[in-house]
Amino acid sequence: MKAPVSAAVQAVLSMAVLMTTQHAGAEQISKTQPADARGEVEIVNVAGSVEVSTWDRSEVQIDADLGSNVERLDFRKDGSRTYIKVVLPRMSSGGGAADLVVKIPRDSGLIVNTVSAEQIIKGVRGAQRLQAVSGGIETEFGPGDLELKTVSGSVIARGLDGKGLVRATTVSGDLEITKAGPELDLNTVTGDMNVTLDRLDRGRIKTTNGDLDLTTALGDDARLEAEAINGDLRFHLRGEIDAEFDIETFNGDIDNCFGPEPRRSREYGPGNELRFSQGKGGARVHIKTLNGTVMVCKR
């Protein structure tokens, strides 16, 4: 008579069978093909991860770990553009994870589209367009421009040389940008923004329900517009300040570390405003919040 199998052993056996089934058909691929040294590389992956680094070769190399529900990897060149796409079965009900490790020419442009895959990009000097739904993005960029879009993923972007225009939109992810070029266009819904620049010439920043910390020097003819519905806006300004300031809050305080004190914008009810010039007044700074505090200080 056989001894009965314990519940714990049955659970372990069931898990082993499940894992074997999930990984059945998994495939590892390593391929290299010629590419334009200043071309463009486009990567599409639904789930898993995408890691991109650069080298001095005019080639694109990919090492892919494909899950069991992946139909194939499309890797081809069309003119100056190289395509890498994880293709899922037409009637796929989910899954299809793939981990991609890609090397591209240093001066290539880069386009990455993912759903629930993390993106990590290093050393790319060409323009980048990165989009994710529920995965985070961490990238190095410059001197090429950077365009970022995420729904629920956070973004960390580090400039390589203080160049490159940055456009970023997040819904519920935080945004951290360091050493970008002097032009920014940032939008968040519920994400916080932490931005550090050497110099700002043009800035357009909007948030629905997030805080902003911006550290920068203002260019001679800088133009900065910042607006929040529910969020605090904090500005740490470096060096000599030559700017005209127009600051308004509907329901929040204004904390100014230099210049005059703010005044009430309404005799009865909330609201503060502060308008003044510092230095020659060449730059223009316009800040507005509905429910939030504004702080402007020298760093």
Side-chain angles (χ1 to χ4, degrees):
M1 180 176 178
K2 293 183 180 179
V5 179
S6 69
V9 173
Q10 286 181 336
V12 172
L13 292 173
S14 298
M15 182 62 70
V17 171
L18 177 60
M19 293 178 66
T20 301
T21 303
Q22 287 179 334
H23 287 84
E27 183 180 5
Q28 292 183 334
I29 294 175
S30 182
K31 292 183 178 181
T32 303
Q33 67 173 318
D36 192 320
R38 294 181 178 272
E40 197 166 53
V41 178
E42 181 173 350
I43 302 172
V44 179
N45 188 17
V46 173
S49 64
V50 175
E51 295 184 24
V52 180
S53 60
T54 63
W55 56 5
D56 293 326
R57 303 179 190 177
S58 296
E59 296 176 328
V60 172
Q61 174 183 291
I62 179 166
D63 292 300
D65 190 352
L66 308 180
S68 58
N69 201 31
V70 172
E71 181 177 295
R72 71 179 191 278
L73 180 71
D74 186 7
F75 180 34
R76 58 188 172 87
K77 184 175 182 291
D78 186 359
S80 62
R81 179 174 289 191
T82 300
Y83 293 89
I84 300 172
K85 182 177 182 180
V86 177
V87 180
L88 303 182
R90 185 181 296 270
M91 302 301 292
S92 174
S93 59
D99 296 322
L100 308 181
V101 178
V102 184
K103 283 185 176 292
I104 69 175
R106 195 178 311 279
D107 293 320
S108 291
L110 178 65
I111 301 171
V112 182
N113 286 280
T114 59
V115 178
S116 58
E118 299 292 321
Q119 300 181 25
I120 300 177
I121 294 117
K122 296 181 179 180
V124 175
R125 295 181 57 83
Q128 298 182 45
R129 285 186 285 158
L130 312 177
Q131 184 169 325
V133 177
S134 61
I137 298 174
E138 183 174 347
T139 185
E140 295 176 344
F141 69 95
D145 296 341
L146 175 64
E147 182 176 338
L148 296 157
K149 293 182 180 180
T150 71
V151 177
S152 60
S154 296
V155 172
I156 299 174
R158 302 183 185 92
L160 295 171
D161 53 11
K163 298 179 181 178
L165 180 153
V166 176
R167 293 188 178 94
T169 302
T170 71
V171 177
S172 60
D174 294 337
L175 184 60
E176 180 181 332
I177 298 174
T178 56
K179 206 173 177 59
E183 186 168 351
L184 293 172
D185 189 347
L186 310 178
N187 289 272
T188 69
V189 178
T190 60
D192 296 333
M193 291 177 276
N194 193 325
V195 183
T196 303
L197 310 176
D198 291 338
R199 188 186 83 249
L200 179 69
D201 291 337
R202 295 290 182 273
R204 294 169 293 277
I205 304 173
K206 292 185 178 181
T207 180
T208 301
N209 191 23
D211 297 337
L212 166 70
D213 276 278
L214 172 62
T215 301
T216 188
L218 295 175
D220 293 339
D221 298 311
R223 297 293 183 269
L224 170 60
E225 296 183 4
E227 183 177 339
I229 296 177
N230 294 293
D232 297 332
L233 304 180
R234 294 177 286 267
F235 302 86
H236 312 274
L237 302 180
R238 295 169 169 164
E240 293 297 322
I241 300 174
D242 295 314
E244 288 187 4
F245 292 86
D246 183 354
I247 306 171
E248 181 181 356
T249 67
F250 178 78
N251 186 23
D253 296 330
I254 299 174
D255 183 6
N256 178 33
C257 298
F258 57 91
E261 294 292 322
R263 66 182 182 86
R264 297 290 296 272
S265 56
R266 297 171 183 80
E267 184 176 358
Y268 304 102
N272 291 282
E273 62 183 13
L274 178 60
R275 295 177 176 87
F276 71 101
S277 291
Q278 181 78 10
K280 299 177 182 178
R284 301 286 188 275
V285 178
H286 185 125
I287 304 169
K288 183 177 181 179
T289 69
L290 183 61
N291 293 296
T293 298
V294 175
M295 184 195 78
V296 181
C297 284
K298 285 187 177 181
R299 183 85 179 237

